[in-house]
Amino acid sequence: MKDHAAPQMTVNGTPVALGQTPGRRLSEVLRHDLGLTGTKVGCDAGDCGACTVLVDGAPVCACLMPVAQAQGSQVETVEGLSRDGTLFALQQAFQRHGAAQCGICTPGMLMAATALLRETPEPTRAEAEAALGGVLCRCTGYAKIIAAVMDSHPRALPEMPPAGIAVGARLCRLDGAAKVAGAEMFGADFGPADALLVRAVRSPHAAARFHFGDIAQWVARQTADLHVFTAADIPGENRFGVIPRFADQPALAQGHVRMRGEAVAIVAGAPEVMETLDLGGFPVTWQEQPALATPERSRQPGAALVHPDREGNILITGKVCRGDPETAIARSAHVATTEFHMTHVEHAYIEPEAGVAWMDGGTLVIRACTQAPVLDRDDTARVLGLPPDQVRIIPSGTGGGFGSKLDLSVQPLIGLVALRTGRAARMVYSRGESMQATTKRHPARMTARIAADRDGRVTGMQFDGDFDTGAYASWGPTVAVRVPVHASGPYRVPQYHCEARAVHTNGPVAGAFRGFGVPQAAIVQETLFDDLARGLEMDRLAFRRLNALRDGDRSVCGQKMQGVGIVDCLDALRAPWAEATRVAAGWNARGGHLRRGVGMAACWYGCGNTALPNPSTIRVGLTPDGRLVLHQGAADIGQGANTVIAQICADAIGLPVAQVDLIGPDTALTPDCGKTSASRQTVITGKAAMLAGAALRADILARGNMGDDARIALDGPMLLLSDGEGRRSIDLSALAVNAHGYVMMSEQSHDPPTVPLDANGQGSPYAVYGYGAQLAELEVDMRLGIVRVLRITAAHDLGRVINPLLAEGQIEGGIAQGLGMALMEEYVPGRTENLHDYLIPTAGDMPEIRSILIEKPDPEGPMGAKGLGEHVLIPTAPAILNAIRDASGARITRLPALPHRVLAAIRAAQGGRADG
């Protein structure tokens, strides 16, 4: 029998004293007392499974176990899987299969899988899915995780490719070893021992006036030293925003809150005090005001203004007009019409916002999770009244972002504390704080009409949408501008009118979320395309192919299109489409309450900013001792920028990617590579990397007096060049060193060529577009309204596939998010502010995914490459909705398609009443 009175436990084979607080969470003891930060914390409620460890061989959530319960037990963490720096076979399998993207869930996945494999060395897919069902992943779509678990036998990692063929190789993630070892340092994993812990006082109301009581007296009543800061303590301009001319969000509200969860004060103190401090008694008095919950209410005559300078609560209106769609539609043989409603969707990354700030002489240094280090630097400096060169942002590992971590969160708050106290300050959002206070996907009410002639050619389209941008601007302007450009889909639409408005409410701030409004618009367009095809009695794939854009066609913005790969994507789905429809027809012929359906949808997406400057800069150099150093400032949030950009640069130079020494984003060390968003990093930063690599190669060849086809090798400080019979060598140690420490260096920028949009939205908003099409096969329970997706086949045009392994992972992860948006995800303030009530797909919810990678080179992309990250989510939800209709007749017009809504739509299709 276990001795529960034993004063210690064994962690990774080493006896550890438990200390004097037996009620502390095991996760806290492992992370804070023992420094085993490989055990991650995503919720402190047992919902996400990131903190999974093994206790006497069984997987448990360390955040739920009091450390007293581990007395006398054997505890294993991810750090214990590796021995002498060598990865365990399962960790190698995760690397080999690309099973770790951002890496925040990876330790929990590895520990749950280890327990399974000890009991069942050859698990089935169903057994693997069941064992990992308690650990959530928001990045991968689980497919590669399951594949790794089923292929965990010892096997060497693939060899690194030789010079010149890194692009196109299934290269393991260059930063993956740290992720699978649990050594990746995320925002909550780092902080000086004496750092103050910062917590926020937040509004419980969506709209309220407030005033403070006697804060000094409240502080005096506490048993420890505390520091309290309010808006009055902010030394700079108390507003921030990702688009400077719309910046409107205060770091700390002053007298008036516009949304639930808005911070009004911060309190800092010793961690042992702050972790248990009850902020419920903080002296603040609220006068709740009527809240504007929807754009419909916000736009009513006489409605209160969320911001007094924004008439009608409209932040901005985006518009694209071409021709006379009203007349074209009136004269057309077939017209399809819809009104569609979308709800808030939560990013639900497994890492809540976290970071640490400290003073380094006169420089404020902030290490935090982010997608945009330079934006963070500039906005934080503005709030704190500092010049930008006195703020340094060092991105930590980012445990998922998907757009929300483009906006500031902890940075100005911990920066304020460090600046005012001179002490390091750290802050970690709780899961509830993260879900209350950070951005969401824009809810929308959209109406549209699309018409076609008797031959099936689209003649015109009208689209109108109100997008709920919430209390503050965030990326609302981008959504309102991007939607009209994309709402036509990748099709020829000769007569077109689209308007989209970003409308303020007192709801959560809506910002960037993988698509910037395009996924919402695509649902409307693609479901209407199914309506038209059915009305024409035309094959749905053939209808799309007939209307698809081709090279030389003009988009709805009047842009002449090049490198258009949508027909190639549709053609790649022809055989799967024919087989899927045949199988579904055979299944349904049997009768019964389970009906099979097949649906498809297509997408396009412009890479980068919409008709705005969008530069990235890359620096690459050779040191005197022969190191090839790449300064890569693009935040890698799991999508693979560290690997893909290194592959492009290495091939452009002509040296092996294994020789690249990467310096990742740091505003003091790396040039500005722009924000990680809008599928821009491969296309724009990748192009800058290609140019920088090519320029360094040209310099090397010129110094060696060698031709363009010469081979380059790096052997310590000797640079070796060969060309046929010719041989040259350059002794790098003999060359002069520049201000950056390099003897040879190249720094190149790329800003894609675009043309600003005029008043009618005519111009060339993007230099590069990506394309895709997906086919969904599913089953609908006609009695219960339950939908089970069986398979999704995804064909995406990447222009040039830089890394197939990472590309497949992006497709699988995007499909998982699209499936969640379609079937289960619905954020309701005050009700779904945790990962128990807010549902995202688990391993068991995912269908089989088949990826087809298409390569139709783009003339502007690096080596022909196009973006992918955003594109892969866009077609998933409309393909699923079209398949639901194919199976059941149910026409869904509100997401998510929860069972009661599907059942109501089935009854409506059968002549009954629908009220879902």
Side-chain angles (χ1 to χ4, degrees), residues 108-129:
M109 289 287 184
L110 286 164
M111 301 315 296
T114 296
L116 167 68
L117 292 170
R118 287 175 180 173
E119 295 289 328
T120 311
E122 301 283 347
T124 65
R125 178 171 295 277
E127 288 170 330
E129 289 176 351

Side-chain angles (χ1 to χ4, degrees), residues 60-425:
V60 302
C61 284
C63 74
L64 294 182
M65 176 176 276
V67 71
Q69 291 186 10
Q71 288 186 10
S73 295
Q74 300 282 336
V75 177
E76 298 171 80
T77 73
V78 68
E79 289 90 347
L81 296 182
S82 303
R83 292 290 184 266
D84 301 321
T86 302
L87 296 180
F88 176 52
L90 179 60
Q91 292 168 308
Q92 290 183 333
F94 268 55
Q95 261 284 71
R96 201 166 57 243
H97 285 273
Q101 287 190 21
C102 82
I104 193 74
C105 74
T106 302
M109 289 287 184
L110 286 164
M111 301 315 296
T114 296
L116 167 68
L117 292 170
R118 287 175 180 173
E119 295 289 328
T120 311
E122 301 283 347
T124 65
R125 178 171 295 277
E127 288 170 330
E129 289 176 351
L132 300 182
V135 185
L136 297 178
C137 175
R138 193 59 158 165
C139 295
T140 68
Y142 304 98
K144 295 198 180 303
I145 294 173
I146 299 299
V149 173
M150 296 175 67
D151 180 33
S152 61
H153 302 293
R155 190 185 309 170
L157 294 175
E159 290 187 5
M160 297 287 274
I165 61 169
V167 168
R170 295 181 70 85
L171 187 64
C172 292
R173 194 178 293 269
L174 296 180
D175 54 3
K179 297 176 187 290
V180 301
E184 177 98 359
M185 298 295 284
F186 294 90
D189 294 341
F190 173 80
D194 62 346
L196 299 170
L197 184 63
V198 181
R199 291 176 57 197
V201 179
R202 297 186 180 276
S203 170
H205 307 295
R209 295 283 177 183
F210 67 93
H211 66 270
F212 296 118
D214 192 334
I215 293 175
Q217 187 181 75
W218 179 81
V219 170
R221 289 201 305 266
Q222 309 308 313
T223 57
D225 291 336
L226 297 177
H227 305 269
V228 177
F229 301 96
T230 69
D233 298 299
I234 290 176
E237 187 177 356
N238 187 18
R239 66 184 181 97
F240 65 86
V242 289
I243 303 173
R245 75 184 181 96
F246 294 99
D248 58 2
Q249 188 165 357
L252 293 170
Q254 188 165 12
H256 178 207
V257 293
R258 296 177 171 90
M259 57 176 278
R260 174 178 166 82
E262 186 163 2
V264 300
I266 51 175
V267 183
E272 62 272 16
V273 174
M274 295 302 300
E275 284 167 359
T276 58
L277 181 66
D278 180 12
L279 292 180
F282 189 83
V284 57
T285 301
W286 306 97
Q287 295 89 42
E288 187 176 4
Q289 296 178 313
L292 298 170
T294 65
E296 289 82 3
R297 288 188 58 190
S298 290
R299 295 190 63 196
Q300 286 178 352
L305 295 181
V306 178
H307 295 272
D309 59 339
R310 292 177 183 161
E311 186 178 349
N313 284 313
I314 294 176
L315 171 64
I316 189 175
T317 299
K319 181 172 69 172
V320 173
C321 304
R322 190 176 186 217
D324 181 6
E326 184 78 35
T327 300
I329 292 171
R331 294 174 177 174
S332 297
H334 300 275
V335 181
T337 303
T338 193
E339 179 174 322
F340 207 97
H341 294 261
M342 298 276 295
T343 187
H344 288 102
V345 182
E346 161 67 22
H347 293 77
Y349 29 72
I350 306 305
E351 179 208 27
E353 290 71 10
V356 59
W358 67 95
M359 298 303 298
D360 181 7
T363 299
L364 172 65
V365 184
I366 298 175
R367 183 172 179 174
C369 54
T370 181
Q371 295 179 233
V374 174
L375 284 178
D376 284 4
R377 180 198 66 190
D378 294 348
D379 257 4
T380 300
R382 185 179 302 110
V383 171
L384 298 181
L386 297 172
D389 62 4
Q390 288 184 19
V391 177
R392 178 183 181 186
I393 301 293
I394 307 173
S396 64
T398 297
F402 318 115
S404 187
K405 288 175 183 173
L406 290 164
D407 296 68
L408 286 183
S409 57
V410 302
Q411 293 89 339
L413 304 180
I414 56 178
L416 176 63
V417 174
L419 194 64
R420 286 302 180 93
T421 66
R423 296 180 59 183

Side-chain angles (χ1 to χ4, degrees), residues 362-513:
T363 299
L364 172 65
V365 184
I366 298 175
R367 183 172 179 174
C369 54
T370 181
Q371 295 179 233
V374 174
L375 284 178
D376 284 4
R377 180 198 66 190
D378 294 348
D379 257 4
T380 300
R382 185 179 302 110
V383 171
L384 298 181
L386 297 172
D389 62 4
Q390 288 184 19
V391 177
R392 178 183 181 186
I393 301 293
I394 307 173
S396 64
T398 297
F402 318 115
S404 187
K405 288 175 183 173
L406 290 164
D407 296 68
L408 286 183
S409 57
V410 302
Q411 293 89 339
L413 304 180
I414 56 178
L416 176 63
V417 174
L419 194 64
R420 286 302 180 93
T421 66
R423 296 180 59 183
R426 60 189 297 267
M427 187 175 194
V428 180
Y429 281 11
S430 69
R431 174 55 57 183
E433 277 185 296
S434 179
M435 296 182 80
Q436 284 178 27
T438 63
T439 63
K440 309 288 175 275
R441 185 179 294 284
H442 279 74
R445 180 201 60 82
M446 300 167 287
T447 60
R449 295 194 300 163
I450 308 179
D453 63 20
R454 288 182 175 82
D455 296 324
R457 289 182 172 82
V458 170
T459 56
M461 176 177 179
Q462 294 175 314
F463 178 104
D464 186 86
D466 280 340
F467 289 77
D468 179 355
T469 207
Y472 297 104
S474 183
W475 292 96
T478 301
V479 168
V481 171
R482 189 176 277 267
V483 164
V485 173
H486 287 84
S488 65
Y491 304 104
R492 291 186 295 244
V493 181
Q495 315 289 323
Y496 181 78
H497 185 106
C498 176
E499 285 194 20
R501 290 165 294 277
V503 183
H504 280 299
T505 66
N506 291 116
V509 179
F513 189 171

Side-chain angles (χ1 to χ4, degrees), residues 9 11 14 16-17 26 28-37:
M9 60 183 174
V11 180
T14 301
V16 173
L26 176 59
E28 294 174 352
V29 172
L30 292 173
R31 288 175 54 79
H32 303 310
D33 295 4
L34 304 181
L36 297 172
T37 56

Side-chain angles (χ1 to χ4, degrees), residues 508-597:
V509 179
F513 189 171
R514 209 167 192 169
F516 288 97
V518 178
Q520 295 95 306
I523 289 171
V524 170
Q525 172 263 308
E526 286 290 334
T527 54
L528 286 181
F529 265 42
D530 258 30
D531 289 350
L532 288 170
R534 290 178 184 279
L536 287 155
E537 298 183 350
M538 189 174 180
D539 177 82
R540 290 174 282 157
L541 188 153
F543 175 76
R544 287 171 168 82
R545 191 180 189 282
L546 174 67
N547 288 288
L549 287 167
R550 270 94 169 161
D551 285 355
D553 283 343
R554 297 281 179 178
S555 73
V556 292
C557 292
Q559 181 176 1
K560 187 175 181 179
M561 305 302 292
Q562 303 179 79
V564 182
I566 186 58
V567 170
D568 306 72
C569 295
L570 293 169
D571 285 348
L573 294 182
R574 276 179 157 178
W577 173 258
E579 176 64 11
T581 52
R582 183 191 65 79
V583 170
W587 174 278
N588 293 335
R590 304 176 192 173
H593 67 281
L594 296 178
R595 302 279 296 177
R596 293 278 178 93

